[in-house]
Amino acid sequence: MKILVTGASGNGGQAICHKLLEAGFSVRMADVMPPAGGVIPSTEFMRCDMRSPGDIQNAVNGVDAVIHLAAWHSAHQPPVSDETIFAVNVDGTFHMFEACRKFGIQAIVYASSMAYGHGSVYGVTKVIGEDLSRAYHEMTGASIANLRYHEFIPRPYLEFGARLLRNGVDRSDVALATVAALQAVIERKIGLFTTIVHTHHGMPEAVIANFKELGPDWCELMVPGSRELISKYQIELPHTVEQHDLSEAERLLGWKPRVGFVEFLRDLKIRDEQGEDVHSLWVPSELPE
Ligand SMILES: NC(=O)c1ccc[n+]([C@@H]2O[C@H](COP(=O)([O-])OP(=O)(O)OC[C@H]3O[C@@H](n4cnc5c(N)ncnc54)[C@H](O)[C@@H]3O)[C@@H](O)[C@H]2O)c1
């Protein structure tokens, strides 16, 4: 099957395209520009501006399913204007759904965000995107998954680890959730389904609620030496851990996250024992995917 990935040259898009190829799909990448490192081998690249209905129709024509990632978000540096965020995220998503209706696409994954509904133009664009998902599901019967990704913007390794306890998620989990959602919409296991895509630490409730006090003991139990690592690398612990119920996603998509704070601590321990300078590392690309 051939899958169109919009916004395919971005941080999430490239990881998702690699996972799609591994899963045996043909991939058409669509973006305003090719990936910085060049087009991924074995994929087709199509230049496409989501604000142009003709561009997106050309991109959708001939594929079996669509993963719609193309969007600007609020964390780009230098910043993208709210006008452009609105035009690409809202008009672009509308044009994508219209093209899917025109070409009879029945399997769609839409990249929403944890910023859904929060106080920014970007957050509003994801509300409208999910509303469009619902409307097109009702109008066309397409099977659609809305994935509210948590944060996977590239950042220094130690910050990445600490952020997993808050709103962070590893990019490989984002990619695996997206491919699992794609398989579910292709197989029509879901009609319209919305889920958060975040990490999961498997912590007892009491530890989640009082991580600052109980967390270091729990981490020590899971990964001996953690207490010392947390102190040595000055990892700032939150009072409470952000944790969502992801059981519906596991039941319906067969997906559950793989990289949590414990996996980060295991990785940090190995690097520490090898005397590596972790201060210069960045994620993604440093943890095994
Ligand atoms: N990165 C995160 O932490 C995060 C969190 C929640 C949701 N999301 C969502 O996930 C999706 C992917 O995010 P990402 O981090 O990979 O973003 P990214 O900025 O790395 O990639 C977005 C891609 O969209 C492309 N694009 C921009 N304008 C376009 C246009 N007019 N037409 C076609 N392509 C265009 C860009 O060239 C870029 O390659 C987005 O929808 C984003 O809102 C990301």
Side-chain angles (χ1 to χ4, degrees):
M1 292 188 103
K2 185 176 255 189
I3 313 303
L4 170 68
V5 181
T6 72
S9 302
N11 177 37
Q14 292 192 55
I16 289 164
C17 288
H18 281 294
K19 289 277 185 268
L20 288 172
L21 291 172
E22 277 168 35
F25 291 105
S26 294
V27 177
R28 177 180 288 170
M29 302 177 73
D31 204 297
V32 275
M33 59 187 76
V39 174
I40 299 173
S42 311
T43 65
E44 176 191 355
F45 179 81
M46 204 175 262
R47 202 180 283 275
C48 163
D49 189 325
M50 296 303 301
R51 292 166 292 190
S52 158
D55 279 13
I56 184 67
Q57 282 175 26
N58 286 340
V60 169
N61 189 5
V63 302
D64 300 290
V66 174
I67 296 175
H68 179 50
L69 306 173
W72 289 121
H73 53 68
S74 312
H76 289 287
Q77 285 306 327
V80 179
S81 71
D82 280 344
E83 289 92 328
T84 302
I85 289 177
F86 199 85
V88 172
N89 299 14
V90 176
D91 292 354
T93 300
F94 168 66
H95 298 321
M96 182 278 298
F97 278 119
E98 276 292 283
C100 287
R101 171 152 77 166
K102 180 178 165 94
F103 291 105
I105 304 296
Q106 285 284 297
I108 302 166
V109 178
Y110 170 65
S112 186
S113 173
M114 65 177 193
Y116 174 93
H118 291 287
S120 69
V121 167
Y122 171 68
V124 171
T125 68
K126 295 300 182 183
V127 175
I128 299 172
E130 287 195 21
D131 282 351
L132 286 168
S133 283
R134 174 173 297 282
Y136 278 84
H137 164 69
E138 287 168 359
M139 290 189 292
T140 69
S143 178
I144 304 178
N146 296 318
L147 302 181
R148 291 185 188 170
Y149 299 145
H150 274 47
E151 211 246 82
F152 60 97
I153 293 167
R155 62 178 62 255
Y157 175 77
L158 291 171
E159 267 184 42
F160 159 80
R163 196 166 274 258
L164 287 171
L165 295 167
R166 298 172 173 85
N167 58 10
V169 58
D170 189 62
R171 187 179 66 163
S172 67
D173 281 325
V174 167
L176 288 169
T178 308
V179 175
L182 176 78
Q183 267 150 347
V185 292
I186 288 171
E187 290 165 25
R188 297 192 72 82
K189 283 188 188 158
I190 52 179
L192 177 73
F193 177 60
T194 301
T195 182
I196 282 168
V197 174
H198 188 208
T199 188
H200 201 284
H201 309 286
M203 280 173 206
E205 285 297 329
V207 179
I208 289 175
N210 189 7
F211 192 77
K212 196 129 193 161
E213 277 182 29
L214 305 180
D217 280 350
W218 183 79
C219 291
E220 187 67 33
L221 204 64
M222 304 307 288
V223 185
S226 290
R227 193 182 272 288
E228 209 183 309
L229 289 170
I230 289 168
S231 149
K232 177 174 173 183
Y233 292 102
Q234 297 178 323
I235 297 170
E236 204 192 315
L237 303 180
H239 284 286
T240 59
V241 171
E242 182 176 338
Q243 190 69 96
H244 302 273
D245 180 3
L246 303 176
S247 57
E248 274 296 274
E250 184 172 356
R251 190 174 69 79
L252 293 171
L253 309 181
W255 166 79
K256 61 176 181 178
R258 299 198 306 197
V259 180
F261 193 60
V262 167
E263 286 68 32
F264 165 74
L265 286 172
R266 280 199 193 108
D267 186 80
L268 177 59
K269 185 175 176 179
I270 293 167
R271 293 178 193 277
D272 182 75
E273 283 167 359
Q274 290 169 348
E276 202 174 328
D277 175 17
V278 296
H279 295 281
S280 58
L281 297 179
W282 276 66
V283 175
S285 87
E286 299 299 343
L287 283 179
E289 296 227 339

